[in-house]
Amino acid sequence: MSRVLVSELKNKLGEEVSLQGWVHNRRQLGGIGFLILRDKSGIVQCVFEKTEIPLHESCVEVVGKVVGAKKAPGGLELHAHSLNIISEATQPAPIEIPKEDWHANPDTLLEYRHVSLRGVKAQATMKVQAELVKGFRSFLNNQGFTEIFTPKLVAASAEGGANLFEVDYYGKRAYLAQSPQLYKQIMVGVLERVFEVAPVYRAELSHTSRHLSEYLSLDVEMGFIDSDSDVMDLEEALLKSMMRQVAEVCQHEISLFDTSLPNIDVTFPRIPLMEARALIKEKYDYETGGKDLDPEAERLISRWAKEEHDSDFVFVTHYPQAARPFYTYPIENGLTRGLDLIFRGVEITSGGQRVHQHDMLVEELEKRKMDPEAFSGYLEVFKHGMPPHGGFAIGAERITALLLGISNVRFARAFPRDGSRLQP
Ligand code: AMO
């Protein structure tokens, strides 16, 4: 008998089927054994008479008849008559997988990530993320973008800052890439519109719920733009398309979380940083320090976007030069065409228009007391005719976590890396 998946059982009422999966949960009641079987598509209750059910997480095959059962999860169950143990668990699971609750004891859940990942919500998180990435790729492919693959071992920092990982590269110093930034720009000179899906590395010193040392960066870069508006137009259409894809394919996964899909029927508001700061002060009596928006200010500008525009997303534009990397296109009054996108209170994107003129780039490096010599390979390409261009990067774990209402970005990555975690 060939294997069917739990999700297919609704079409098999009254039939004999064979299921293969894991012992998600088990219970003995009188002479009757209940085995909750889990496979990649869901869980189902299997009812046995007089059968010893093996330990949680044992890998098993169950054969039986599919019957309607109003009280059972999913409205059906399996009246089972045989149980084959494919691979028996040799010790109890270190955590109670069916009780999955990642707000309690995050350290334990992460320590045993190889098994906590099997939880239904953890599994769903990975599926939703895969679907977001699929939506990212398919939208961009349809818009004439080409996927690129750039090095993660690099000679210089792209983003500046102190959060670079050093690597011994044949006796010389190299770094793990913080972003494909400079390479994706170079590739605009080749393919005009490019994107990349790849991990990047940040030696983050602060231990927060939104920072990982390794995260999946969804990068986009496009040539022949007029301004940063073109970049925002593209990102807005892209995100709406990604959300539509998730809504279509992941209804069940979304339903497991206390969340709803964002409103994609509105235009995402765009507000210059200075105006955002003034508005937050006036409306919510909060004064944000520094040149950027701090996390509380991000939360408040998002609140404004939701209250005034019914939007879960808001673009913050016109960042000052001092708050942006050297490659950001400068405009008058010390401002730039650099922008962020905030989703449900947290920044998920930085981006904007870039400098495409060689001399201006050298000037921007010098302004920031950076050595143009260290960027000679990158600068070279700007002597060979680069079009006006711009782009952005979305942190895949952040968008996944915010979409599902997961409060710690670590749980939106299968095997998170942070200051205190290098395994599993
Ligand atoms: P930035 O450094 O702002 O910009 O990063 C872009 C997006 O990546 C995500 N992100 C992170 N996610 C998890 N852990 C981290 N430590 C972390 N750091 C950043 C966030 C952030 O918005 N080159 C530019 C992008 C561009 O201009 O195209 C860049 O890397 O979601």
Side-chain angles (χ1 to χ4, degrees):
M1 198 183 294
S2 62
R3 179 188 180 202
V4 302
L5 289 172
V6 169
S7 60
E8 297 164 338
L9 292 178
K10 53 185 180 297
N11 306 319
K12 305 267 177 197
L13 277 171
E15 290 179 37
E16 283 280 308
V17 297
S18 152
L19 294 171
Q20 295 180 1
W22 290 264
V23 178
H24 185 64
N25 215 345
R26 56 179 191 166
R27 194 156 46 95
Q28 215 79 39
L29 217 72
I32 302 187
F34 294 89
L35 183 164
I36 309 289
L37 179 131
R38 184 189 73 241
D39 67 16
K40 67 167 184 164
S41 72
I43 55 173
V44 68
Q45 173 163 287
C46 307
V47 187
F48 288 90
E49 273 175 35
K50 297 198 190 85
T51 296
E52 194 72 14
I53 297 169
L55 268 185
H56 285 95
E57 294 311 308
S58 293
C59 193
V60 295
E61 180 192 23
V62 178
V63 180
K65 188 172 167 184
V66 188
V67 296
K70 278 207 189 93
K71 285 193 185 147
L76 50 81
E77 63 188 17
L78 203 75
H79 286 180
H81 53 73
S82 86
L83 174 72
N84 295 325
I85 298 176
I86 298 170
S87 170
E88 189 163 14
T90 54
Q91 50 176 288
I95 50 168
E96 287 184 78
I97 293 172
K99 282 203 181 150
E100 180 175 48
D101 176 9
W102 44 50
H103 300 292
N105 253 330
D107 284 335
T108 311
L109 289 173
L110 290 174
E111 186 180 342
Y112 298 111
R113 190 68 170 149
H114 44 294
V115 273
S116 66
L117 270 173
R118 293 184 181 187
V120 169
K121 282 162 90 179
Q123 202 189 49
T125 308
M126 300 299 120
K127 279 199 211 166
V128 167
Q129 186 167 78
E131 216 51 55
L132 284 169
V133 173
K134 198 161 143 195
F136 177 82
R137 282 203 166 97
S138 77
F139 176 87
L140 292 169
N141 281 321
N142 286 334
Q143 298 289 321
F145 284 75
T146 305
E147 184 161 8
I148 57 169
F149 309 93
T150 67
K152 303 304 154 211
L153 282 167
V154 296
S157 149
E159 302 296 314
N163 59 359
L164 271 170
F165 281 110
E166 262 184 50
V167 184
D168 175 4
Y169 193 70
Y170 304 112
K172 291 201 193 103
R173 185 185 304 159
Y175 304 99
L176 294 180
Q178 290 167 308
S179 144
Q181 183 62 36
L182 310 184
Y183 293 97
K184 66 176 178 173
Q185 288 185 251
I186 294 172
M187 292 307 281
V188 163
V190 184
L191 296 159
E192 299 181 21
R193 305 185 126 204
V194 296
F195 71 92
E196 180 164 18
V197 176
V200 293
Y201 301 89
R202 309 264 173 120
E204 301 290 357
L205 301 172
S206 52
H207 195 82
T208 77
S209 60
R210 53 163 76 182
H211 288 98
L212 294 160
S213 307
E214 177 181 55
Y215 69 90
L216 188 69
S217 187
L218 308 179
D219 273 90
V220 173
E221 201 69 23
M222 61 204 266
F224 300 102
I225 61 171
D226 291 327
S227 75
D228 50 344
S229 292
D230 295 339
V231 174
M232 289 186 272
D233 291 347
L234 183 95
E235 184 170 15
E236 182 166 340
L238 165 67
L239 284 165
K240 288 178 174 173
S241 166
M242 288 163 67
M243 293 301 162
R244 237 174 263 124
Q245 166 108 2
V246 169
E248 250 176 61
V249 183
C250 297
Q251 276 172 10
H252 168 70
E253 285 74 19
I254 299 281
S255 74
L256 300 171
F257 293 86
D258 184 18
T259 190
S260 55
L261 288 161
N263 182 3
I264 52 170
D265 297 328
V266 286
T267 303
F268 301 171
R270 300 174 184 187
I271 182 168
L273 176 72
M274 293 309 169
E275 274 179 42
R277 293 169 69 117
L279 187 147
I280 291 166
K281 171 86 183 79
E282 190 194 331
K283 216 169 153 56
Y284 305 111
D285 195 24
Y286 183 76
E287 203 144 2
T288 169
K291 300 160 283 197
D292 212 332
L293 293 181
D294 61 20
E296 177 62 9
E298 285 180 2
R299 203 182 60 74
L300 291 171
I301 200 63
S302 239
R303 181 171 153 193
W304 165 80
K306 192 69 189 164
E307 286 172 359
E308 302 284 324
H309 298 271
D310 195 19
S311 178
D312 296 272
F313 295 90
V314 50
F315 283 108
V316 180
T317 65
H318 297 83
Y319 272 76
Q321 288 175 24
R324 299 311 271 208
F326 71 93
Y327 53 76
T328 317
Y329 199 91
I331 51 168
E332 61 286 346
N333 304 327
L335 300 178
T336 67
R337 291 194 180 150
L339 55 95
D340 277 3
L341 177 66
I342 320 281
F343 173 41
R344 294 183 170 162
V346 178
E347 174 209 311
I348 57 159
T349 284
S350 287
Q353 185 174 350
R354 328 297 188 180
V355 180
H356 63 280
Q357 305 94 326
H358 179 272
D359 294 351
M360 198 195 262
L361 262 178
V362 173
E363 227 173 84
E364 290 302 314
L365 280 165
E366 283 168 349
K367 255 193 224 166
R368 289 165 178 80
K369 306 224 170 350
M370 294 165 82
D371 179 12
E373 201 40 49
F375 292 87
S376 54
Y378 166 69
L379 287 172
E380 196 60 27
V381 78
F382 295 92
K383 294 178 187 164
H384 303 287
M386 281 293 284
H389 63 281
F392 55 89
I394 305 171
E397 295 79 6
R398 282 202 195 169
I399 192 173
T400 309
L402 292 159
L403 176 63
L404 298 179
I406 297 170
S407 60
N408 186 338
V409 79
R410 284 167 185 72
F411 292 99
R413 189 154 180 90
F415 302 103
R417 295 289 174 255
D418 63 27
S420 54
R421 208 164 273 108
L422 194 53
Q423 52 185 339

